[in-house]
mmCIF file of all heavy atoms in Angstrom:
data_model
loop_
_atom_site.group_PDB
_atom_site.id
_atom_site.type_symbol
_atom_site.label_atom_id
_atom_site.label_comp_id
_atom_site.label_asym_id
_atom_site.label_seq_id
_atom_site.Cartn_x
_atom_site.Cartn_y
_atom_site.Cartn_z
ATOM 1 N N ALA A 179 20.359 -9.301 12.934
ATOM 2 C CA ALA A 179 21.767 -8.874 12.853
ATOM 3 C C ALA A 179 21.917 -7.409 13.244
ATOM 4 O O ALA A 179 22.833 -7.049 14.003
ATOM 5 C CB ALA A 179 22.288 -9.119 11.448
ATOM 6 N N MET A 209 13.413 -12.352 -9.351
ATOM 7 C CA MET A 209 12.095 -13.008 -9.335
ATOM 8 C C MET A 209 11.151 -12.388 -10.359
ATOM 9 O O MET A 209 10.420 -13.113 -11.036
ATOM 10 C CB MET A 209 11.489 -12.877 -7.950
ATOM 11 C CG MET A 209 10.137 -13.586 -7.780
ATOM 12 S SD MET A 209 9.498 -13.623 -6.099
ATOM 13 C CE MET A 209 9.155 -11.868 -5.881
ATOM 14 N N ALA A 234 -2.583 -26.730 8.092
ATOM 15 C CA ALA A 234 -1.948 -25.397 7.924
ATOM 16 C C ALA A 234 -0.515 -25.647 7.553
ATOM 17 O O ALA A 234 0.197 -26.433 8.210
ATOM 18 C CB ALA A 234 -2.062 -24.598 9.184
ATOM 19 N N SER A 278 16.443 -2.007 12.778
ATOM 20 C CA SER A 278 16.028 -3.394 12.967
ATOM 21 C C SER A 278 14.521 -3.562 12.853
ATOM 22 O O SER A 278 14.030 -4.508 12.219
ATOM 23 C CB SER A 278 16.505 -3.929 14.330
ATOM 24 O OG SER A 278 16.008 -5.215 14.587
ATOM 25 N N VAL A 290 3.124 -11.362 4.189
ATOM 26 C CA VAL A 290 1.673 -11.258 4.009
ATOM 27 C C VAL A 290 1.289 -11.295 2.557
ATOM 28 O O VAL A 290 0.219 -11.818 2.197
ATOM 29 C CB VAL A 290 1.160 -9.966 4.713
ATOM 30 C CG1 VAL A 290 1.362 -8.732 3.870
ATOM 31 C CG2 VAL A 290 -0.322 -10.096 5.097
ATOM 32 N N ALA A 292 3.158 -12.846 0.176
ATOM 33 C CA ALA A 292 3.627 -14.124 -0.420
ATOM 34 C C ALA A 292 2.822 -15.294 0.078
ATOM 35 O O ALA A 292 2.845 -16.363 -0.560
ATOM 36 C CB ALA A 292 5.127 -14.312 -0.112
ATOM 37 N N SER A 366 -19.632 -24.096 -2.921
ATOM 38 C CA SER A 366 -20.516 -24.995 -2.207
ATOM 39 C C SER A 366 -20.920 -24.484 -0.809
ATOM 40 O O SER A 366 -21.749 -25.100 -0.146
ATOM 41 C CB SER A 366 -19.856 -26.378 -2.042
ATOM 42 O OG SER A 366 -18.681 -26.274 -1.301
ATOM 43 N N VAL A 467 -1.378 14.731 3.965
ATOM 44 C CA VAL A 467 -1.014 13.652 3.037
ATOM 45 C C VAL A 467 -1.746 12.393 3.427
ATOM 46 O O VAL A 467 -2.159 11.582 2.545
ATOM 47 C CB VAL A 467 0.512 13.461 3.051
ATOM 48 C CG1 VAL A 467 0.916 12.300 2.146
ATOM 49 C CG2 VAL A 467 1.227 14.697 2.595
ATOM 50 N N SER A 471 -4.446 10.010 1.031
ATOM 51 C CA SER A 471 -4.384 8.577 0.841
ATOM 52 C C SER A 471 -5.758 7.927 1.022
ATOM 53 O O SER A 471 -6.116 6.991 0.312
ATOM 54 C CB SER A 471 -3.400 7.972 1.836
ATOM 55 O OG SER A 471 -2.074 8.374 1.514
ATOM 56 N N GLY A 512 8.876 14.996 4.955
ATOM 57 C CA GLY A 512 9.800 14.744 6.054
ATOM 58 C C GLY A 512 11.047 15.589 5.962
ATOM 59 O O GLY A 512 11.579 16.029 7.009
ATOM 60 N N ALA A 574 -18.854 6.875 -11.244
ATOM 61 C CA ALA A 574 -17.643 7.414 -11.904
ATOM 62 C C ALA A 574 -17.714 8.918 -11.986
ATOM 63 O O ALA A 574 -16.707 9.605 -11.769
ATOM 64 C CB ALA A 574 -17.469 6.781 -13.282
ATOM 65 N N PRO A 608 18.697 27.866 10.703
ATOM 66 C CA PRO A 608 19.859 27.550 9.834
ATOM 67 C C PRO A 608 19.598 26.392 8.864
ATOM 68 O O PRO A 608 20.027 26.451 7.698
ATOM 69 C CB PRO A 608 20.969 27.172 10.852
ATOM 70 C CG PRO A 608 20.560 27.893 12.118
ATOM 71 C CD PRO A 608 19.066 27.870 12.136
#
Side-chain angles (χ1 to χ4, degrees):
M209 183 174 67
S278 173
V290 80
S366 61
V467 177
S471 293

